[in-house]
Amino acid sequence: MEAAPFACSSPPSSSASFLPSFSVTARSLSSSSSLLFRRNNFGRNCNYYVAKFKSPRNLSVRASGDSVVTLLDYGAGNVRSVRNAIRYLGFDIKDVQTPEDILKADRLIFPGVGAFAAAMDVLNKRGMAKALCTYIEKDRPFLGICLGLQLLFESSEENGPVNGLGLIPGVVGRFDSSNGYRVPHIGWNALQIKTDSEILDDIGNRHVYFVHSYRAMPSDVNKEWVSSTCNYGVDFIASVRKGNVHAVQFHPEKSGDVGLSILRRFLYPKSTITTKPTEGKASKLAKRVIACLDVRTNDKGDLVVTKGDQYDVREHTKENEVRNLGKPVELAGQYYKDGADEVTFLNITGFRDFPLGDLPMLQVLRYTSENVFVPLTVGGGIRDFTDANGRHYTSLEVASEYFRSGADKISIGSDAVYAAEEYLRTGVKTGKSSLEQISRVYGNQAVVVSIDPRRVYLKNPNDVEFKAVRLTKSGPNGEEYAWYQCTVNGGREGRPIGAYELAKAVEELGAGEILLNCIDCDGQGKGFDIDLIKLISDAVNIPVIASSGAGATDHFSEVFMKTSASAALAAGIFHRKEVPLQSVKEHLSKEGIEVRI
Ligand code: 1PR
């Protein structure tokens, strides 16, 4: 299974089939966000388009009115991010309906999604496999992305062996997690360029975004194809190129301005591109810095970014209002410009409100994803739900709507706690929890579990049945130990399960990543809970995102030096403009911690 919502082997049918009818329009967003992110009409009648939204490196693009790219979206998943990036670069999209559309294409992009076997099945049944082979053998302009690269090989071990298109010698296999490398491989990694690949000319030693569990290996039999490799425990194939045929394992549409320049080099004739690459120092998988936006509707009914102290988001005034720290779309755009490696939206009242009824939240995602080309995660309210009319919605339908609206990953909080409790009680994976279902359909790399633990101090670690840690700093009454009790409903209810037990259980149930908050540290600005983060990041083989408590640049270097967290997330310091995101990156770099600059 490859690539986040890009990954879907059998998605539910279109949103129209289950979405209630809403009459809310983009106007429900703040007027300035609408202005900032208004979709530009650069269709057939528009010859010149300068992006209103400037990317971090002030990308501006020129498109001719006849710019059309053919997209092979065989309906197995969401390729919204790819569509957004193509449109952002000034191209219209023609969708492949029949094999003839492939043969007639001037320029074809194939963002392979879902599992290898399911993708080959669809391609074979629709006669598209043969058309693709003919198109590629004729050296027509082609760009495969992620699974779109893997399918070019002879076969894959993913639920297999399964035969691929057989154009490139080699077998696609799974990363080995036994050597200490976390699988899926998620994040920004460096490339080693092997040959002149043209589309990679602007990379200049900078990171690109990967999210996958399977990879193809370079060897003597395919060396004439390999244009770059990447190291993640082993050297695997990051891109291939022969003539006009290109394919990349990473996601250019999620790789910020570097990724956009790769797509631009594929879409535009060489002669029109004059940019000079900015040199970077990428050498390995970077530690990620994530900006988090806790979003909820305030008492006036506006969707705002808020921020709590230990999860209390109300001002301590007579009015007791929800803190308003800004507008979600604007802030997300700002953090993208500032160099955030990912942006996370948490719909913090999703546990009590039905998220599909919260159409502005879906609009926030849609608008943001049109202009923000790094991964977007959204959480809050992902669970089964029955509305006032008795209509039942599965958590998979809720997640699918988030993915369709532009999310690359979804994050599950409360529902994952219930699923883990049940699993630990019965020892049986029912396959029915939201976590299992979404991970099965979209791949585990698309599913984050957000944990909201609270410290419970102990005199003796044997006083509880849950894993306790010896504290670096003792508790208020001199306690030397604590266990971390999981909570649900935004920290309102403690549950009989520890963060350690939960993390291990959700990894088994199919989580691809853990977002590890800490209620005690949230909004305090005194640093991350290193004891907790070390406990969890040492316990699981999936990436862990450290969250809660960042107040200074030193806190980020501390968490990366003392724990094996893959990413650090912060909210308050960025919203209050206390520490700019770039200073965090510069500080980490100075401390010898590799980050994407
Ligand atoms: O249970 O599936 O509906 O998901 C609800 C989601 O909303 C969970 O991910 C939960 O963490 C989040 N949430 C619920 N209530 C709150 C609240 O604050 N009242 N926010 C909340 C959680 C924690 C972090 C925060 C970091 C960094 N916020 O996301 O951004 O602690 O903050 P800092 O850098 O300022 O310290 P479900």
Side-chain angles (χ1 to χ4, degrees):
M1 182 78 69
E2 293 305 308
F6 335 114
C8 172
S9 50
S10 55
S13 52
S14 91
S15 56
S17 62
F18 67 84
L19 254 188
S21 55
F22 296 107
S23 57
V24 186
T25 66
R27 228 171 276 151
S28 32
L29 288 167
S30 72
S31 55
S32 59
S33 3
S34 319
L35 270 179
L36 179 67
F37 280 81
R38 191 174 47 219
R39 263 285 300 287
N40 293 272
N41 257 330
F42 41 80
R44 297 199 144 266
N45 301 325
C46 177
N47 289 326
Y48 185 66
Y49 164 61
V50 177
K52 274 253 184 315
F53 180 88
K54 299 267 201 261
S55 81
R57 284 168 229 285
N58 288 336
L59 175 85
S60 62
V61 290
R62 176 187 270 277
S64 92
D66 290 327
S67 308
V68 176
V69 64
T70 303
L71 188 74
L72 176 48
D73 171 5
Y74 51 86
N78 187 346
V79 297
R80 189 182 183 102
S81 315
V82 177
R83 290 179 185 278
N84 282 339
I86 294 170
R87 292 201 183 104
Y88 182 86
L89 291 170
F91 272 69
D92 282 341
I93 295 166
K94 178 175 174 4
D95 279 294
V96 170
Q97 310 285 349
T98 64
E100 288 67 47
D101 293 333
I102 294 178
L103 299 171
K104 281 193 275 176
D106 289 329
R107 208 158 277 272
L108 180 68
I109 295 187
F110 181 27
V113 288
F116 193 101
M120 276 312 298
D121 201 37
V122 176
L123 293 178
N124 282 325
K125 278 193 181 133
R126 297 199 193 157
M128 287 178 182
K130 195 161 168 258
L132 260 178
C133 289
T134 307
Y135 181 88
I136 290 171
E137 278 160 0
K138 284 189 174 165
D139 193 27
R140 305 287 302 135
F142 173 86
L143 176 62
I145 298 174
C146 196
L147 190 65
L149 172 141
Q150 296 178 9
L151 291 165
L152 303 180
F153 284 80
E154 285 169 312
S155 67
S156 170
E157 288 166 1
E158 187 180 1
N159 301 325
V162 179
N163 285 340
L165 294 171
L167 295 161
I168 305 180
V171 176
V172 176
R174 196 171 199 276
F175 280 113
D176 180 6
S177 60
S178 64
N179 58 6
Y181 283 82
R182 289 164 199 268
V183 181
H185 170 220
I186 297 182
W188 299 79
N189 210 331
L191 301 183
Q192 288 83 49
I193 307 287
K194 298 291 176 194
T195 56
D196 174 18
S197 64
E198 276 184 27
I199 64 166
L200 303 183
D201 282 359
D202 287 339
I203 282 209
N205 283 331
R206 283 152 73 207
H207 296 94
V208 289
Y209 187 76
F210 288 87
V211 50
H212 59 132
S213 301
Y214 289 81
R215 82 287 174 273
M217 301 294 284
S219 70
D220 276 352
V221 288
N222 56 34
K223 65 173 181 240
E224 57 175 340
W225 278 92
V226 179
S227 55
S228 71
T229 59
C230 173
N231 186 276
Y232 191 62
V234 289
D235 283 335
F236 68 90
I237 296 176
S239 66
V240 294
R241 185 249 169 126
K242 204 184 230 184
N244 292 310
V245 176
H246 304 265
V248 292
Q249 177 60 68
F250 53 89
H251 287 273
E253 75 284 8
K254 285 287 150 191
S255 296
D257 61 326
V258 174
L260 290 173
S261 74
I262 292 168
L263 287 172
R264 195 160 32 126
R265 282 199 175 266
F266 174 72
L267 293 171
Y268 287 87
K270 210 170 163 188
S271 57
T272 61
I273 295 175
T274 55
T275 52
K276 278 238 174 311
T278 321
E279 279 296 314
K281 290 183 187 153
S283 72
K284 60 178 182 210
L285 186 69
K287 296 289 184 182
R288 287 171 278 155
V289 178
I290 300 176
C292 181
L293 292 87
D294 289 355
V295 179
R296 64 161 284 170
T297 310
N298 67 10
D299 303 316
K300 293 182 199 125
D302 300 324
L303 200 68
V304 297
V305 174
T306 189
K307 185 69 218 53
D309 282 328
Q310 301 182 327
Y311 285 32
D312 176 6
V313 298
R314 292 198 173 263
E315 302 278 9
H316 295 170
T317 56
K318 205 165 77 210
E319 290 75 24
N320 203 223
E321 287 177 332
V322 170
R323 281 192 201 129
N324 180 348
L325 292 171
K327 292 167 183 150
V329 181
E330 263 181 24
L331 276 182
Q334 186 59 49
Y335 295 144
Y336 171 60
K337 280 210 283 186
D338 294 346
D341 297 316
E342 290 182 28
V343 175
T344 294
F345 293 105
L346 295 176
N347 186 352
I348 67 168
T349 49
F351 70 90
R352 62 163 181 246
D353 306 325
F354 179 42
L356 295 188
D358 200 353
L359 205 58
M361 188 66 198
L362 298 176
Q363 293 281 33
V364 162
L365 270 176
R366 289 180 194 130
Y367 279 83
T368 304
S369 65
E370 284 178 10
N371 296 280
V372 172
F373 297 104
V374 292
L376 299 176
T377 301
V378 66
I382 297 184
R383 66 196 153 90
D384 291 358
F385 190 89
T386 304
D387 71 12
N389 303 319
R391 168 80 162 91
H392 184 73
Y393 300 87
T394 66
S395 56
L396 185 59
E397 287 173 323
V398 177
S400 298
E401 192 50 30
Y402 273 147
F403 285 138
R404 268 192 288 271
S405 300
D408 299 297
K409 302 187 251 189
I410 55 92
S411 157
I412 310 175
S414 309
D415 218 45
V417 178
Y418 302 130
E421 283 180 25
E422 168 93 5
Y423 174 52
L424 292 177
R425 195 169 47 244
T426 61
V428 177
K429 291 184 195 171
T430 62
K432 290 186 181 150
S433 66
S434 54
L435 169 54
E436 291 162 285
Q437 288 188 51
I438 299 166
S439 152
R440 192 169 51 245
V441 172
Y442 287 93
N444 67 345
Q445 69 279 6
V447 183
V448 182
V449 166
S450 166
I451 311 185
D452 298 315
R454 180 176 274 125
R455 225 179 277 142
V456 183
Y457 293 104
L458 297 169
K459 287 254 190 284
N460 184 335
N462 301 321
D463 286 350
V464 283
E465 59 187 290
F466 309 106
K467 179 92 170 173
V469 287
R470 194 186 185 109
L471 296 166
T472 317
K473 203 172 143 221
S474 40
N477 301 308
E479 299 92 338
E480 288 185 15
Y481 297 89
W483 72 287
Y484 289 89
Q485 183 183 23
C486 291
T487 65
V488 292
N489 300 347
R492 287 167 181 79
E493 184 192 334
R495 299 294 305 179
I497 182 168
Y500 175 88
E501 290 75 19
L502 181 90
K504 290 186 83 68
V506 297
E507 179 179 23
E508 285 181 40
L509 290 173
E513 210 170 12
I514 284 174
L515 164 52
L516 185 57
N517 303 296
C518 176
I519 297 181
D520 306 79
C521 297
D522 175 58
Q524 304 306 294
K526 293 182 185 151
F528 296 95
D529 188 325
I530 300 294
D531 295 331
L532 168 67
I533 296 160
K534 188 162 167 28
L535 173 75
I536 304 301
S537 60
D538 286 348
V540 294
N541 282 318
I542 51 178
V544 172
I545 301 166
S547 166
S548 304
T553 55
D554 284 354
H555 296 151
F556 290 85
S557 45
E558 184 188 29
V559 78
F560 288 133
M561 283 171 178
K562 294 188 176 166
T563 78
S564 8
S566 301
L569 171 151
I573 49 164
F574 297 145
H575 304 335
R576 295 187 299 268
K577 302 190 177 12
E578 288 162 10
V579 179
L581 226 145
Q582 260 321 320
S583 315
V584 174
K585 294 276 190 90
E586 280 160 21
H587 167 78
L588 289 171
S589 213
K590 240 183 254 155
E591 293 295 312
I593 297 165
E594 184 150 335
V595 287
R596 177 182 74 111
I597 299 286

